[in-house]
Amino acid sequence: MKIHDLITSTDELRGICDRFATADFVAVDTEFMRESTYWPLLCLVQISDGKEAAAVDPLAEGIDLKPLLDLLTENEDVLKVFHAGGQDVEIIYNLTGKTPHPIFDTQIAMMAISQSEQIGYSNLVESWLGTAIDKGARFTDWSRRPLTERQLEYAVGDVTYLSKIFPKILKKLVKTGRGAWLNQEMERLADPSNYATDPGTLWHRVRASGRNPQMLGRLKALAAWRENEAQDKNIPRGRIMRDETLADLASHPPKKQADLAKVRGLSNGWKDNDIGKRLMKVLDNAEPLPADEMPERKRGAPLGKEGALVADLLKLLLKIRAREIDVAARLIARSDDMEQLAAGVRKGLPMLEGWRFEEFGRDALELVEGKLGFGVENGRLKIARIGEGPLAPVPENQEA
C-alpha cells in the first residue's frame, strides 16, 4: 500500500480525493481535540482505499477541505468505513451540515458476527490481523505542530489496518446472511438529526425530579441559555454550569442576583457579573412548560417485585439466545425495553419487529406468557418450551 506524505495543500488533497472517488470504499478516521472547547477542533483526517493512504492536515495554512468533505458527504457510490465512528461523523456534520453516506461501522458490524459489545480498535486489529498496535501516540496533543513521524505512522495505521479488516468482516457478514440486520443501525449512525443540537430540547438530558410545569419551564430555558453561552464562548457546557447546578436553579430559583453567590456550584462572582445578570433574566422570563411538551410517563405499569423478576428472566433469555447465535446481546434488545415488555408493553419495542422478533422477540413473548422456561442439559442452561409433560428443548438457531 502506498503511504503518502502528510497532505498540506488543496491541490494534493484534490488529487487523492479524485482517485478515491472511484473506489469501492474508503476507510476514514479523525484525530481531534475537544477537552477545552465546545466545538471539536479537527486536527487530522486519515483516509485509505486499501491501495493508498494519507493523512490530511486541516490546520495547514490555506488548505481547503472541500474535496475531502464532498467525497464523504456527496459521493453515494463510495462506502465510508469507520470504527466507532460517532464522533468522527459528528465532526463532519459540524463542518458541512451533512453526514457521510453510505456508511459502515466495523464496531457495530462486529456485534452481528460475534458477542463483542463494543470492541476497541486495538483489539479489533489484533483479532483480525494478529498485529499489536503501538499505543504510545494515543493520547498525544494532535493540535501541536509539527507532527512527528511516529504520530503520523500511528494515525495512518488506523486506516491502513481498517481497510484490510473491512473486507474480511464484510465477507463473514455475507456468509452469515446478517448484513441486512445492520441496515437500520448504519442508517441511524448516519442520521443527521443525531448530531444537530437544538438548545430547546437539551433539558431532556438533565436529571431533575418532579413534573411541575413551572420548574420544567425554567429547566428548559436554563439549558438552552447554557448551550448558547457555551457555543458563543466555544467552551464545554459544563464550564458554564454543571447539570446539578442547573437542576437546582430550576427547582429553587433565587429571588435576586446576589443570591447566586449562595448556589452550590457557582462562584461568588456570579452575584454581580454580566453572566449572572443574563441568568437572572432567563429565570425571570421563563414560561411554564406547555402541556404538549411535558415528558411522558413511563410506559406500562410499574414493574413491582414480580415484574422485576420477569425482566431478569428476559435478560437471562437474551444472554442464552445471544450465545446460541453468536451475536452481541446489545444489538438484539436493551434492558429498558425488556423491562417494558415485562410491564405489559407490546407496541413500539424493536425486539418485537423484524429479525429481532425472529431471533429473540417471539421467545421473549412466550416467556412472559408462561409458554417458555429454562432447563439444564449436560450442565448447560437451555431454553425449553413448556408443554404437556416434561420440558421439551427448543431447537437452537443455526447460523446461515
Side-chain angles (χ1 to χ4, degrees), residues 180-182 184 331-332 348-363 397:
W181 292 11
L182 297 175
Q184 184 179 0
L331 185 64
I332 302 174
L349 299 179
M351 74 175 80
L352 301 183
E353 301 171 356
W355 69 267
R356 289 181 172 87
F357 177 75
E358 297 298 326
E359 300 295 339
F360 174 70
R362 181 181 287 111
D363 287 346
N397 290 16

Side-chain angles (χ1 to χ4, degrees), residues 151-340:
Q151 288 174 318
L152 290 172
E153 182 179 351
Y154 168 85
V156 174
D158 283 349
V159 290
T160 57
Y161 292 139
L162 192 57
S163 65
K164 295 176 182 177
I165 293 170
F166 163 67
K168 297 177 183 289
I169 292 179
L170 185 61
K171 184 177 180 180
K172 187 168 183 180
L173 272 173
V174 171
K175 184 178 179 181
T176 59
R178 296 174 181 174
W181 292 11
L182 297 175
N183 290 342
Q184 184 179 0
E185 303 301 319
M186 300 305 179
E187 288 303 313
R188 184 180 294 115
L189 178 63
D191 185 352
S193 66
N194 292 328
Y195 310 98
T197 301
D198 179 1
T201 63
L202 293 179
W203 64 277
H204 292 287
R205 303 181 187 178
V206 182
R207 290 187 178 182
S209 58
R211 292 174 53 83
N212 180 282
Q214 285 76 22
M215 183 275 289
L216 292 177
R218 290 191 293 266
L219 185 68
K220 177 183 177 180
L222 286 171
W225 166 80
R226 180 182 65 170
E227 201 70 12
N228 290 324
E229 290 277 345
Q231 290 180 1
D232 290 343
K233 294 177 172 60
N234 194 23
I235 59 175
R237 63 178 68 91
R239 292 196 182 180
I240 300 292
M241 185 182 299
R242 294 170 61 89
D243 283 0
E244 296 84 352
T245 305
L246 198 72
D248 187 34
L249 284 169
S251 298
H252 307 95
K255 294 182 180 180
K256 55 184 183 298
Q257 185 176 350
D259 294 336
L260 291 175
K262 305 173 185 177
V263 177
R264 184 177 180 181
L266 298 183
S267 68
N268 189 60
W270 283 73
K271 72 180 189 304
D272 53 18
N273 61 15
D274 288 340
I275 193 171
K277 291 178 183 177
R278 294 194 294 273
L279 168 61
M280 292 303 299
K281 185 176 181 180
V282 169
L283 285 172
D284 291 341
N285 294 333
E287 298 286 341
L289 193 70
D292 60 355
E293 292 187 37
M294 290 292 290
E296 293 183 6
R297 297 184 185 275
K298 282 193 174 183
R299 295 175 294 174
L303 276 179
K305 292 182 179 180
E306 294 300 319
L309 290 174
V310 173
D312 287 341
L313 289 175
L314 285 168
K315 294 171 186 177
L316 176 59
L317 174 66
L318 178 62
K319 288 182 179 180
I320 296 173
R321 179 60 73 215
R323 183 192 67 199
E324 288 176 348
I325 64 175
D326 196 26
V327 171
R330 182 182 172 196
L331 185 64
I332 302 174
R334 301 182 305 175
S335 292
D336 55 349
D337 286 341
M338 287 183 282
E339 291 173 1
Q340 292 297 323

Side-chain angles (χ1 to χ4, degrees), residues 47-160:
I47 187 166
S48 172
D49 66 348
K51 300 175 183 177
E52 54 183 320
V56 182
D57 186 0
L59 303 182
E61 184 177 355
I63 193 169
D64 184 355
L65 296 181
K66 189 175 187 303
L68 175 62
L69 297 174
D70 284 350
L71 171 67
L72 297 179
T73 63
E74 302 291 343
N75 191 325
E76 289 286 323
D77 297 325
V78 180
L79 182 66
K80 293 81 182 181
V81 180
F82 297 83
H83 180 78
Q87 293 189 86
D88 304 309
V89 174
E90 177 192 1
I91 289 173
I92 295 167
Y93 175 83
N94 289 341
L95 293 173
T96 65
K98 302 175 182 179
T99 60
H101 193 271
I103 197 170
F104 187 94
D105 191 303
T106 53
Q107 186 179 72
I108 296 174
M110 284 294 293
M111 296 170 68
I113 58 175
S114 71
Q115 296 178 58
S116 301
E117 292 285 344
Q118 285 184 309
I119 187 170
Y121 184 70
S122 59
N123 290 334
L124 181 81
V125 172
E126 188 165 0
S127 64
W128 284 93
L129 302 179
T131 301
I133 294 179
D134 176 11
K135 300 180 182 179
R138 192 175 186 182
F139 299 107
T140 191
D141 182 350
W142 293 102
S143 66
R144 297 184 64 179
R145 295 294 184 271
L147 295 169
T148 67
E149 288 298 321
R150 184 186 182 193
Q151 288 174 318
L152 290 172
E153 182 179 351
Y154 168 85
V156 174
D158 283 349
V159 290
T160 57

